[in-house]
């Protein structure tokens, strides 16, 4: 087994993790000061969201220089210190590799603006006319400068790179080499299955993302990944690449991670994050655990290895989404943790998830900082969506729900100044300091689960088999070398009858009741 298969990944969103100098923005020194905490969780690999120089229109996913550190976060010396300390603690670091686009502040783009003959012009996609493509953040994908438009699938300050230009591919190789030589373990590759555009023709009209068929999972996209592997990654003894692959289905995922193709080690799929998506009944959303179970099962059965996650910096908090933060926060967060850490694959934990952080308590749309949230707001107004409905939808879905500052203690744990994004008021009760001393906390439950998983060949290596998915109760088994572990998770607040005689090795209730599964009760049983 590879390290990235045995290990647990913890995602740090630097802006919101820990501020060391009181300016309200998380930074590298802050991360360094909390590395022992991360290590103590039982984590092996840190995924660091972008720390590169950036104007922060998309919090670092708009890179202005791949070789420089965002001064708000610190210096290259701080970055070296972080890599060194992580190494001393036995923690690996993977960095975000954002190569679909750069910030329009990147000097390549500034050069490109100088004229059509500039050698950097062809680093981007230019056309004299717009096409009908729709962007990921809503609206058009073309912005005019002079008499030409450039392509941007995301915000207009994120210009898409032209990966049919071999010079751009060479730049990517150089960037990867630079960071691997610094001692990082690999990359989380941003939107990596849409980087190559076959053509810039009009697309078939779709509700969202018109034009997708011209750039999603193209053949050349696969070849580029193989080339990066052959020319860069293969020069290092052990690396790990996990691709964020939007709108990926199981066949495409299998292609991307097939061992004989050497493209990516692991893919981040989205289908289970869509189970509570808006339906056509006017933004009515109902989360049905059944859909979640079915989707998780489908991916468990289809892929040899999954990227297991319920949260990241783009998704609202899982306990607010799939649990019950008001009445059963502890139980439901622990139930989700149980599933996350017992399925087959590599578990990814997003900062704050381990203490059961909830969605932000935003009161007004002005409190949001996220560019996607604001773009959707504008689009919603244009489409004349009633204001109350739009507000409700954005409060529930905004990416800022996951980006509120990490709740280290009841007061100034994240910053001594004013945080860049509104801190959640419930930090007075939901915080790391309190969780550490409370044996019954979500944090201590995560630690127990992680330790248990790591010591269990059945959970790390074993096969997956679904047993039952009736009435919001997910029952599955993992097995290895004739040993079996059964997981029983009640994914709803309703009590369910059951008949179990064997006591669980881990459960989220302190007493054992073999006759009823209580709200969100989860059991791990060695059978
Ligand atoms: O966040 C989303 C839904 O709310 C997605 O549409 C998201 O934009 C998509 O998953 C791509 O995400 C990645 O690339 C974006 C960046 O804004 C995200 O933070 C990043 O994870 C552009 O770089
Ligand atoms: Ca700071």
């Amino acid at each position: 087994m590879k390290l990235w298969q045995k290990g647990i990944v913890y995602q740090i969103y630097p802006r919101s993790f820990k501020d060391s100098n009181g300016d309200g923005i998380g930074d590298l020194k802050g991360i360094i000061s909390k590395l022992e905490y991360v290590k103590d969780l039982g984590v092996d690999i840190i995924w660091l969201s972008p720390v590169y120089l950036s104007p922060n229109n998309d919090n670092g996913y708009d890179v202005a220089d791949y070789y420089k550190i965002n001064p708000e976060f610190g210096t290259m010396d701080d970055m070296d210190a972080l890599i060194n300390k992580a190494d001393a603690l036995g923690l690996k670091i993977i960095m975000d590799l954002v190569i679909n686009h750069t910030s329009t502040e990147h000097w390549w783009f500034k050069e490109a603006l100088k004229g059509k003959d500039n050698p950097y012009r062809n680093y981007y996609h230019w056309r004299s006319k717009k096409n009908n493509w729709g962007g990921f953040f809503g609206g058009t994908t073309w912005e005019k400068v002079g008499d030409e438009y450039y392509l941007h699938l995301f915000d207009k300050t994120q210009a898409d790179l032209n990966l049919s230009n071999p010079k751009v591919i060479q730049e990517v190789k150089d960037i990867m080499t630079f960071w691997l030589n610094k001692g990082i373990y690999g990359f989380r590759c941003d939107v990596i299955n849409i980087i190559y555009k076959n053509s810039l023709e009009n697309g078939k009209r779709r509700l969202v993302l018109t034009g997708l068929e011209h750039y999603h999972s193209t053949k050349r996209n696969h070849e580029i990944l193989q080339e990066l592997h052959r020319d860069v990654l293969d020069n290092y003894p052990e690396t790990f690449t996990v691709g964020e692959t939007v709108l990926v289905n199981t066949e495409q995922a299998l292609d991307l991670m097939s061992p004989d193709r050497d493209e990516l080690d692991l893919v981040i799929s989205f289908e289970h994050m869509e189970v509570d998506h808006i339906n056509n009944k006017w933004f009515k959303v109902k989360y049905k655990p059944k859909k979640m179970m079915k989707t998780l099962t489908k991916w468990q059965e289809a892929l040899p290895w999954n990227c297991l996650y319920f949260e990241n910096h783009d998704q609202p908090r899982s306990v607010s989404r799939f649990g019950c933060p008001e009445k059963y926060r502890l139980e439901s967060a622990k139930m989700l943790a149980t599933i996350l850490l017992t399925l087959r694959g590599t578990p990814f934990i997003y900062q704050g998830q381990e203490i059961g952080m909830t969605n932000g308590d935003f009161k007004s749309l002005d409190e949001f900082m996220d560019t996607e949230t604001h773009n959707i707001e504008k689009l919603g107004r244009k489409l004349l969506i009633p204001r109350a409905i739009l507000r409700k939808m954005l409060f529930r879905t905004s990416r800022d729900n996951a980006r509120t500052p990490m709740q280290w203690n009841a007061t100034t744990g994240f910053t001594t100044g004013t945080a860049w994004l509104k801190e959640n008021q419930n930090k007075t009760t939901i915080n790391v300091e309190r969780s550490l001393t409370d044996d019954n906390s979500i944090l201590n439950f995560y630690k127990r689960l992680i330790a248990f998983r790591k010591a269990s060949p059945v959970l790390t290596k074993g096969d997956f088999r679904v047993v039952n998915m009736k009435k919001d109760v997910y029952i599955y088994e993992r097995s290895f070398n004739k040993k079996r572990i059964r997981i029983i998770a009640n994914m709803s607040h309703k009590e369910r009858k059951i008949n179990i005689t064997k006591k669980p090795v881990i459960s989220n209730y302190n007493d054992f009741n073999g006759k009823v599964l209580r709200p969100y009760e989860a059991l791990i049983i060695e059978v």
Side-chain angles (χ1 to χ4, degrees), residues 11 13 47 49-50 57-62 96 98-101 136-137 153-155 158 188-191 194 209 244-247 270 277 309 312-316 370-373 376 397-399 403:
Q11 182 191 354
Y13 194 68
W47 153 22
S49 274
N57 287 315
D58 192 15
N59 290 348
Y61 285 90
D62 46 336
D96 233 292
V98 190
I99 56 166
N100 178 67
H101 43 264
F136 279 78
F137 293 161
L153 289 181
F154 293 88
D155 189 64
Q158 291 165 301
R188 177 270 189 186
C189 313
D190 194 59
V191 293
I194 60 168
L209 297 176
E244 187 208 27
T245 47
V246 284
L247 298 155
F270 283 78
H277 264 196
Y309 77 97
N312 61 43
H313 64 292
D314 291 337
Q315 305 287 343
D370 176 26
T371 161
E372 185 197 53
T373 308
I376 294 177
T397 59
S398 172
R399 305 193 297 183
R403 301 176 181 182

Side-chain angles (χ1 to χ4, degrees), residues 95-298:
M95 291 179 80
D96 233 292
L97 184 70
V98 190
I99 56 166
N100 178 67
H101 43 264
T102 71
S103 163
T104 48
E105 303 271 300
H106 197 292
W107 64 267
W108 299 339
F109 192 79
K110 290 187 183 160
E111 283 294 311
L113 287 184
K114 290 186 180 158
K116 292 180 186 161
D117 304 331
N118 188 286
Y120 289 91
R121 185 79 174 181
N122 197 27
Y123 270 41
Y124 299 89
H125 298 283
W126 296 92
R127 279 181 48 126
S128 55
K129 265 174 60 192
K130 292 183 181 197
N131 65 19
N132 69 349
W133 293 7
F136 279 78
F137 293 161
T140 173
T141 55
W142 296 90
E143 182 72 13
K144 199 168 191 180
V145 193
D147 61 351
E148 283 196 320
Y149 297 85
Y150 65 86
L151 173 69
H152 63 90
L153 289 181
F154 293 88
D155 189 64
K156 65 171 185 239
T157 63
Q158 291 165 301
D160 278 51
L161 281 166
N162 175 10
L163 281 111
S164 67
N165 179 351
K167 286 196 184 133
V168 174
I169 306 270
Q170 189 53 49
E171 298 277 9
V172 173
K173 290 181 190 168
D174 293 346
I175 293 163
M176 291 171 74
T177 305
F178 174 83
W179 287 103
L180 287 166
N181 285 347
K182 277 200 175 283
I184 67 157
Y185 179 47
F187 302 96
R188 177 270 189 186
C189 313
D190 194 59
V191 293
I192 201 67
N193 59 338
I194 60 168
I195 57 174
Y196 184 82
K197 282 81 187 170
N198 267 343
S199 93
L200 301 177
E201 295 304 303
N202 276 339
K204 270 196 282 228
R205 254 182 206 296
R206 299 162 42 105
L207 203 57
V208 287
L209 297 176
T210 294
L212 188 71
E213 69 274 22
H214 294 304
Y215 60 79
H216 188 271
S217 292
T218 56
K219 184 165 167 274
R220 180 76 190 119
N221 198 135
H222 287 287
E223 289 164 7
I224 292 171
L225 290 175
Q226 287 161 18
E227 186 177 330
L228 297 178
H229 218 287
R230 201 176 52 236
D231 293 354
V232 183
L233 297 166
D234 282 353
N235 298 330
Y236 298 82
E238 213 202 333
T239 59
F240 171 43
T241 51
V242 47
E244 187 208 27
T245 47
V246 284
L247 298 155
V248 75
N249 63 31
T250 50
E251 291 86 57
Q252 291 160 345
L254 282 170
D255 279 349
L256 284 161
M257 54 192 282
S258 135
D260 48 298
R261 292 169 64 135
D262 258 352
E263 295 181 19
L264 296 166
D265 294 315
L266 195 60
V267 303
I268 300 176
S269 67
F270 283 78
E271 208 178 327
H272 70 298
M273 287 285 112
E274 281 154 16
V275 297
D276 60 347
H277 264 196
I278 296 162
N279 61 26
N280 50 12
K281 282 192 216 140
W282 270 111
F283 297 97
K284 269 241 168 81
V285 183
K286 191 148 170 55
Y287 165 61
K288 293 208 178 74
K290 178 135 204 179
K291 251 178 141 181
M292 174 63 96
M293 292 184 241
K294 277 191 163 169
T295 312
L296 291 174
T297 303
K298 170 180 162 189

Side-chain angles (χ1 to χ4, degrees), residues 18-28 72-73 415:
K18 171 72 189 161
D19 174 25
S20 72
N21 61 351
D23 66 355
I25 299 170
D27 46 50
L28 294 172
E72 288 177 328
F73 291 164
T415 182

Side-chain angles (χ1 to χ4, degrees), residues 313-373:
H313 64 292
D314 291 337
Q315 305 287 343
R317 291 290 184 177
S318 60
V319 70
S320 300
R321 228 175 140 178
F322 311 127
C324 179
E326 300 84 15
K327 219 166 151 197
Y328 300 110
R329 195 181 64 88
L330 286 191
E331 293 82 353
S332 57
K334 290 178 185 178
M335 179 278 294
L336 291 167
T338 306
I339 296 178
L340 183 75
L341 287 149
T342 55
L343 287 174
R344 185 175 156 87
T346 303
F348 281 51
I349 299 167
Y350 175 66
Q351 66 182 46
Q353 181 178 353
E354 75 279 17
I355 55 166
M357 275 178 65
T358 62
N359 278 351
D361 46 15
F362 299 104
K363 299 279 184 294
S364 131
L365 294 181
D366 301 337
E367 286 167 351
F368 289 121
M369 302 295 282
D370 176 26
T371 161
E372 185 197 53
T373 308

